[in-house]
Amino acid sequence: MEVVIVPDATAGGELIAEAIAALLSRKPDALLGVATGSTPLPIYQALTAKVRSGAVDAARARICQLDEYVGLPAGHPESYRSVVLREVIEPLGLSEKSFMGPDGSATDVQAACDAYDKALAEAGGVDLQLLGIGTDGHIGFNEPCSSLASRTRIKTLTEQTRIDNARFFDDDIEQVPHHVITQGIGTILESRHPVLLATGAGKADAVALTVEGPVASVVPASALQMHPHATVVVDEAAASKLKLADYFRATYAAKPQWQGL
């Protein structure tokens, strides 16, 4: 696992956008896994700026979702499909044909989960998967004690998660779905390059446990330690609990520029 400490969220977004740009130059039709929420927005903003300036050609890029609410229609403004369309697909000038995600409105939810897992494999696998992290160490909606071998599946949201997400639903928790479809930890680990961005002091404990703690299901993100090419990008605040912070700074400073992220 490579840990990169950056000054702030903007710098983290720029760094990861550069890695995506380099990937698209090598593989124009790369499959990019995207996450929702406020943390990855600096990545999408930096990547959009590169595309609009002509520095990056994303015309053949493919996009896939990390997770989706169960029970919301695809056109609901807070479905993650709608969010990805607004924050990623449209700004990058892509069409919906380049986008794949699980069907959260399916009658048979488990069948939809299995179909999405299969679709990712048939698409050649995810080349770069963007991830955020919860304060409890979850990635996607893989809450603590999720199986580290789990596949795309339905999960029940905790009460706290529904409270946290109520701000997107007019502060009405009753509008927040109880269930989601999420890529499992095993599914995430099949991506060629998982990249986790964490910003803010509120994520410091989770980052420290993920990077320096044991691999344990109680901290789902710690499973990234088992991946041969996982990158964790954190701002100074999120890095504040890392015991090896100085080591991580030194190793990244000495890294050959040609090696990239």
Side-chain angles (χ1 to χ4, degrees):
M1 178 186 291
E2 180 177 28
V3 180
V4 182
I5 301 173
V6 295
D8 51 36
T10 299
E14 180 64 30
L15 180 66
I16 296 171
E18 289 176 0
I20 295 173
L23 170 62
L24 292 175
S25 69
R26 299 190 306 269
K27 186 177 182 180
D29 65 344
L31 180 57
L32 306 176
V34 297
T36 55
S38 57
T39 299
L41 290 179
I43 303 171
Y44 306 144
Q45 292 163 357
L47 185 60
T48 296
K50 292 179 184 298
V51 168
R52 291 178 176 173
S53 71
V56 177
D57 182 1
R60 294 173 57 195
R62 296 172 295 154
I63 307 295
C64 64
Q65 278 178 259
L66 179 62
D67 40 37
E68 180 58 279
Y69 285 117
V70 170
L72 293 184
H76 190 286
E78 293 307 326
S79 73
Y80 287 145
R81 181 180 186 88
S82 294
V83 173
V84 171
L85 288 173
R86 288 197 305 269
E87 297 178 352
V88 183
I89 301 296
E90 293 173 3
L92 293 180
L94 303 177
S95 71
E96 287 195 49
K97 292 181 179 179
S98 66
F99 177 47
M100 58 191 297
D103 183 0
S105 59
T107 302
D108 188 336
V109 178
Q110 186 55 54
C113 295
D114 296 341
Y116 188 51
D117 226 46
K118 182 179 179 181
L120 291 173
E122 291 177 344
V126 180
D127 291 294
L128 188 151
Q129 177 64 59
L130 297 175
L131 300 166
I133 186 171
T135 55
D136 59 1
H138 76 254
I139 49 176
F141 275 111
N142 296 288
E143 300 285 4
C145 292
S146 291
S147 165
L148 301 186
S150 54
R151 309 301 305 177
T152 301
R153 68 209 191 285
I154 185 171
K155 291 289 288 183
T156 301
L157 295 180
T158 64
E159 188 72 4
Q160 186 58 55
T161 297
R162 294 182 68 236
I163 291 171
D164 292 344
N165 287 3
R167 68 187 189 277
F168 300 114
F169 293 85
D170 301 321
D171 290 319
D172 180 5
I173 191 174
E174 296 305 318
Q175 295 185 42
V176 182
H178 285 270
H179 300 95
V180 291
I181 291 174
T182 184
Q183 286 188 36
I185 297 172
T187 310
I188 292 169
L189 290 179
E190 288 179 355
S191 63
R192 295 179 181 85
H193 186 191
V195 179
L196 187 153
L197 176 63
T199 57
K203 302 296 179 68
D205 287 323
V207 167
L209 289 170
T210 293
V211 173
E212 297 174 341
V215 175
S217 63
V218 73
V219 184
S222 67
L224 295 175
Q225 294 181 32
M226 300 187 295
H227 196 284
H229 184 202
T231 303
V232 175
V233 179
V234 293
D235 68 0
E236 290 289 351
S240 62
K241 299 291 183 69
L242 290 172
K243 296 177 181 178
L244 297 177
D246 288 342
Y247 169 74
F248 296 138
R249 291 188 183 94
T251 54
Y252 185 69
K255 186 176 182 178
Q257 188 173 5
W258 55 263
Q259 199 170 15
L261 201 59

